[in-house]
Amino acid sequence: MARINLLPWREERRKQRQREFYGMLGFAALAGVVLSGLLWFYYSQQISGQNDRNAFLETEIAKVKEQNKEIERLDKQKARLLARKAVIEELQGKRSQMVHLFDSLVRTIPDGVVLTALKQEGDILTLEGRTQSNARVSTYMRNLEGSGWMSSPELSIIEAKAQETGGAVLDIKSLPYVFTLKVKLPAPGENTAQQPAVDDAAAAEPAMAAPAAPEAAAQPAAEPAVAAPKEVRS
């Protein structure tokens, strides 16, 4: 016997399909929400981590800037110390130079020349004085050139001035000519090679004069030796 289903099965199947569709749609929506939450959490962690790294880098950059400031301060301090060291070395080198310079001034000045002023500007020394004649100044310039401590003498001014006599003693103002000349001073250590030769020449003068004294003493000693036989003959 055949069975006939008179129930509305098409309607039931349509509702079933609708429920399945809505279930899949809800599942898809839930999956989308979960996936969105996961993505938001992931990128949020990435952003947070990057912010932490940025903060760390800014802190380190600030430390490096402070270190750079400290390095700049140390560089400036180093530059000041080097400049001070250079000044001290220059003064140390010029200390002996001044002694030799004044010694050379005393040894090179001829008779009839008197210095009245000295002025130094860098490596240029200006000498002012009075003299009896132009020839005395020329001699003085030659002596300065050969001193070993001064070079390139240049006469700037020489002129006649009114003489002022001061009794029997020769006064400075009685010298008729006023002169100004400039000489160049060597750098510290520049004339170390020349100075031994000058010292040897200065030391040779007493050595040459020393043998003359024994010869002079030998002559009186020889005369009695000659005179002694004369007395014996008599």
Side-chain angles (χ1 to χ4, degrees):
M1 181 176 179
R3 294 183 180 181
I4 300 172
N5 188 6
L6 300 177
L7 294 176
W9 57 273
R10 291 188 179 86
E11 185 70 22
E12 290 294 333
R13 191 168 57 181
R14 187 181 297 111
K15 290 180 180 181
Q16 181 66 26
R17 289 180 178 177
Q18 287 179 354
R19 285 193 298 268
E20 291 177 358
F21 173 75
Y22 288 133
M24 293 178 63
L25 183 62
F27 178 77
L30 181 61
V33 171
V34 172
L35 182 60
S36 299
L38 291 175
L39 291 174
W40 176 84
F41 179 78
Y42 173 76
Y43 286 111
S44 177
Q45 291 298 319
Q46 292 292 324
I47 292 172
S48 178
Q50 187 63 42
N51 290 333
D52 293 339
R53 287 193 292 271
N54 291 342
F56 175 77
L57 291 175
E58 289 177 357
T59 304
E60 293 299 320
I61 289 172
K63 291 181 181 179
V64 171
K65 287 183 179 179
E66 292 296 329
Q67 293 176 357
N68 289 338
K69 291 181 180 179
E70 183 68 16
I71 292 173
E72 291 178 358
R73 186 184 66 81
L74 292 177
D75 288 340
K76 292 180 180 179
Q77 184 177 0
K78 177 183 177 181
R80 290 195 299 268
L81 292 176
L82 291 177
R84 188 179 302 175
K85 178 184 176 183
V87 171
I88 293 174
E89 290 177 351
E90 183 178 359
L91 293 177
Q92 186 72 15
K94 288 185 177 180
R95 184 174 64 178
S96 61
Q97 182 185 16
M98 289 297 104
V99 176
H100 292 292
L101 175 62
F102 282 100
D103 180 67
S104 298
L105 288 175
V106 173
R107 288 189 295 103
T108 56
I109 189 167
D111 295 335
V113 177
V114 177
L115 295 179
T116 58
L118 299 175
K119 183 179 179 182
Q120 181 179 357
E121 295 179 354
D123 59 347
I124 300 299
L125 180 65
T126 303
L127 306 175
E128 298 180 1
R130 301 182 72 98
T131 181
Q132 289 181 348
S133 64
N134 296 340
R136 304 277 184 173
V137 179
S138 300
T139 303
Y140 188 32
M141 294 176 67
R142 287 194 297 270
N143 293 343
L144 291 175
E145 182 69 26
S147 66
W149 291 95
M150 290 167 282
S151 61
S152 305
E154 179 182 352
L155 184 62
S156 301
I157 299 173
I158 183 167
E159 57 183 356
K161 291 287 186 179
Q163 299 184 16
E164 299 180 9
T165 57
V169 180
L170 182 64
D171 189 69
I172 295 177
K173 294 183 179 180
S174 65
L175 299 176
Y177 294 97
V178 175
F179 69 91
T180 300
L181 60 88
K182 297 180 179 180
V183 293
K184 184 178 180 181
L185 301 177
E190 182 178 334
N191 51 3
T192 53
Q194 300 178 0
Q195 184 59 22
V198 176
D199 294 340
D200 294 342
E205 294 179 358
M208 294 175 62
E215 291 178 359
Q219 291 178 356
E223 291 178 356
V226 176
K230 291 180 180 180
E231 293 178 358
V232 173
R233 292 177 181 177
S234 62

